[in-house]
Amino acid sequence: LVLILLYSRSIKTRMGANEIPSTRRWQNPGFVATWTSYKALLIIACMYIFRTLMTLHSEMGEDCSMQQLVNPESFRAAKESETEEDRLKKKTIESISASAMEESETEEDSLKTKVVESIRATKESETEEDLLVEKKTFGSSLPPLSNITQQLLGTQCDEGMIYKTDFVVDNGNDDSNIWNKIPKIIHQTSKSRCLTKPFNKSTSKWSDWHSDGWSYYFHDDDAVHRMFEMNYEAFPLLKDVYENCLISGTAKADLWRYLLLWQYGGIYSDLDTTPNNLSPGTFSSFATEESELEAFFIIEAWHFLSQYFFAIAPKHPLMHHTILATLHNLLTVNDTVAWDASRVTGPKALHQGFVQFLDDAGIKPEKGRKGFGKEYRYKYIISNATIVGTANYTVGSYGSPNDSNFWVWRYDKGVSSKSKSHGYAAMGMEHFGKLKKRPSGISCQQAIKDKNHKDVTAKYMAAKKFNS
């Protein structure tokens, strides 16, 4: 603003505004053009300041005070220094203190306290020994994946669509290299098994791995639902969140992939992501006695782990941390519809889980370089390295931010933007960035209390009571 004011003084000086009668100033084209640019800069500056204040307010939460706005840097530094567990403890203590001071606590405050305490208790109850025991006893009570996907052979798709089948390889999930802990299973998902030709071609680049001993499972909406219906003792709030707060199909797919690989392990890949230099034998080539392979992630351009593709061992603590982070994010949204999946359930949740994974090993991630979004405040990525975290589990980070397509193609060349848009429409899907999110008018916590909230949300959206 100071620079703009100085610029306005120079305008008057250069244009001789003081010498030109006020009635003739607007007849001077140079004066009009310069004055207009000054006004435009002033408006842009005001908009930037307003946006900055709103961003600070959203970062600091609903209890943001004027003192925090006056000195945002000190507040940010203090906030960033807290671990996720510290925040949960702080919220719990504040809730308990508030209940002691007040004669009666509202229902929403009571639910929030229970939510935070439950997440914290779940996290603290699982010690490193528990994780190691689960690692050895995994798979004893899980239903077969074929029971989850339940493909119906002979199903007829619409004209121009192709039915995607599973490829199950008997006794092929165990790698001959005992140091490779990633099961030979590939998972992909879509609304239904009926795919357009470009998507069928891109997914076939994964399903063709069955000839090398890899099982391939395709999960439609029914399979995703069956996955959420399983019993998860480690995540007692999952069912409430799924039934009341997960309205977005994209958000369901995000949380589903974490749950699926937490239970069964293997590879997850988006529909339009295909192998490049990655081959069926790549994982075994990286696994050695000195360095077991328990997780394989691509380094994205912004220096964080890929969520569109990754491979991981079952019961890996990184998935545990990521699921807890996702549930925490969902429980704190103010609306069950109007939020950005990438910042609540997508890459941000995975990054939060990774930060916790490092923190358990005493590793403090350095702050992200300039240009990172506020949701990625930390980075800790070493190219082609094995990183040790919770309970001595490892995460392998491969590739480089400058060449994130080395191992897999983020977007298959055979799936153009036009064919992708057409394919999504034909398969009844829509990219989360193009969805019109009319607010439901109800928070996730309130939705859990109000079991009839879905009917309320449907009425709001049908009546278009809320603008997008």
Side-chain angles (χ1 to χ4, degrees):
L1 284 174
V2 171
L3 290 175
I4 291 175
L5 291 174
L6 292 174
Y7 179 51
S8 68
R9 294 288 298 177
S10 65
I11 291 174
K12 293 182 179 180
T13 303
R14 293 201 309 272
M15 298 306 302
N18 295 324
E19 300 176 3
I20 302 176
S22 59
T23 55
R24 293 176 56 193
R25 289 178 187 173
W26 300 105
Q27 298 176 7
N28 187 318
F31 179 83
V32 172
T34 310
W35 185 257
T36 302
S37 66
Y38 159 67
K39 287 292 186 181
L41 285 172
L42 184 62
I43 292 172
I44 292 172
C46 291
M47 290 175 64
Y48 178 78
I49 291 173
F50 176 76
R51 180 178 177 275
T52 303
L53 290 174
M54 293 301 292
T55 301
L56 287 173
H57 183 272
S58 64
E59 288 182 359
M60 296 170 186
E62 296 180 357
D63 297 329
C64 177
S65 65
M66 184 57 66
Q67 182 180 359
Q68 293 165 356
L69 288 176
V70 171
N71 191 9
E73 292 301 324
S74 62
F75 181 74
R76 283 191 185 205
K79 188 175 181 182
E80 288 175 356
S81 66
E82 293 181 346
T83 63
E84 188 67 21
E85 187 174 357
D86 291 335
R87 296 192 191 100
L88 295 178
K89 287 181 180 178
K90 185 178 179 181
K91 288 183 179 180
T92 304
I93 293 171
E94 290 175 351
S95 299
I96 294 174
S97 300
S99 63
M101 292 174 63
E102 298 177 2
E103 293 182 359
S104 61
E105 191 178 25
T106 64
E107 292 184 7
E108 188 162 353
D109 290 336
S110 178
L111 177 62
K112 186 174 183 179
T113 302
K114 292 178 181 178
V115 161
V116 174
E117 288 179 345
S118 180
I119 290 179
R120 179 168 169 260
T122 299
K123 181 179 176 183
E124 292 179 346
S125 66
E126 190 161 43
T127 63
E128 293 188 3
E129 287 187 11
D130 294 332
L131 287 169
L132 292 174
V133 169
E134 285 180 350
K135 182 178 179 180
K136 294 178 182 178
T137 60
F138 160 73
S140 58
S141 61
L142 287 177
L145 275 165
S146 56
N147 291 359
I148 301 293
T149 57
Q150 294 185 12
Q151 64 175 338
L152 299 175
L153 297 177
T155 301
Q156 297 296 320
C157 297
D158 294 339
E159 185 178 356
M161 307 287 282
I162 302 172
Y163 188 83
K164 192 67 183 179
T165 60
D166 294 344
F167 292 89
V168 182
V169 179
D170 293 334
N171 301 320
N173 294 339
D174 295 327
D175 198 290
S176 58
N177 185 345
I178 62 174
W179 311 115
N180 177 24
K181 304 303 180 181
I182 299 174
K184 299 174 73 173
I185 310 172
I186 302 170
H187 307 276
Q188 291 191 287
T189 186
S190 180
K191 190 174 183 65
S192 75
R193 287 180 175 268
C194 294
L195 307 180
T196 58
K197 290 181 179 179
F199 278 121
N200 181 67
K201 186 176 180 180
S202 65
T203 56
S204 294
K205 295 179 181 180
W206 291 111
S207 60
D208 287 347
W209 281 24
H210 77 274
S211 59
D212 291 283
W214 286 74
S215 292
Y216 176 86
Y217 293 94
F218 196 87
H219 304 253
D220 58 13
D221 274 1
D222 291 336
V224 170
H225 177 71
R226 283 188 285 270
M227 195 68 206
F228 278 107
E229 287 298 305
M230 292 175 61
N231 182 35
Y232 298 94
E233 294 182 0
F235 313 110
L237 294 170
L238 176 63
K239 188 173 182 180
D240 282 335
V241 171
Y242 171 66
E243 292 179 348
N244 299 283
C245 306
L246 272 181
I247 297 176
S248 164
T250 302
K252 287 181 183 178
D254 287 336
L255 183 53
W256 162 83
R257 74 188 66 173
Y258 308 143
L259 286 169
L260 179 69
L261 270 66
W262 159 257
Q263 292 284 56
Y264 293 94
I267 290 176
Y268 168 81
S269 173
D270 282 354
L271 288 178
D272 53 352
T273 299
T274 55
N276 184 12
N277 288 306
L278 189 75
S279 67
T282 297
F283 298 149
S284 291
S285 66
F286 280 110
T288 63
E289 182 177 359
E290 293 76 21
S291 178
E292 293 183 350
L293 184 65
E294 296 175 315
F296 185 102
F297 284 84
I298 304 299
I299 304 176
E300 288 204 51
W302 285 98
H303 294 261
F304 53 84
L305 301 179
S306 60
Q307 194 235 14
Y308 55 84
F309 161 86
F310 59 95
I312 199 164
K315 299 298 181 181
H316 197 291
L318 174 56
M319 289 295 96
H320 180 269
H321 292 319
T322 303
I323 293 169
L324 286 181
T326 304
L327 292 175
H328 180 267
N329 293 343
L330 285 166
L331 287 162
T332 54
V333 295
N334 295 323
D335 193 280
T336 57
V337 178
W339 44 267
D340 185 349
S342 67
R343 289 175 169 82
V344 177
T345 60
K348 177 182 178 181
L350 176 60
H351 190 73
Q352 289 173 317
F354 183 58
V355 170
Q356 183 60 54
F357 175 78
L358 297 174
D359 185 70
D360 287 347
I363 302 174
K364 298 297 182 183
E366 58 182 300
K367 292 183 179 180
R369 62 179 174 82
K370 186 177 181 181
F372 272 42
K374 64 181 180 181
E375 63 271 26
Y376 305 113
R377 292 181 178 173
Y378 304 102
K379 68 183 181 71
Y380 185 86
I381 302 295
I382 303 175
S383 297
N384 301 319
T386 299
I387 304 167
V388 181
T390 306
N392 290 325
Y393 274 72
T394 59
V395 168
S397 57
Y398 300 94
S400 69
N402 299 325
D403 188 15
S404 56
N405 288 319
F406 179 81
W407 291 107
V408 298
W409 292 110
R410 173 67 182 91
Y411 301 107
D412 183 67
K413 294 181 178 180
V415 184
S416 63
S417 298
K418 184 177 180 180
S419 63
K420 184 186 296 187
S421 299
H422 170 73
Y424 281 156
M427 296 185 296
M429 300 165 60
E430 191 170 5
H431 190 274
F432 77 91
K434 297 182 179 180
L435 290 173
K436 295 181 179 179
K437 306 179 184 68
R438 294 187 178 91
S440 64
I442 186 169
S443 69
C444 179
Q445 294 181 29
Q446 183 65 33
I448 293 175
K449 293 190 300 181
D450 182 7
K451 297 300 182 181
N452 297 320
H453 85 284
K454 289 185 178 179
D455 295 334
V456 176
T457 301
K459 290 178 181 178
Y460 280 146
M461 297 179 72
K464 296 183 179 180
K465 185 174 181 179
F466 295 89
N467 296 325
S468 62

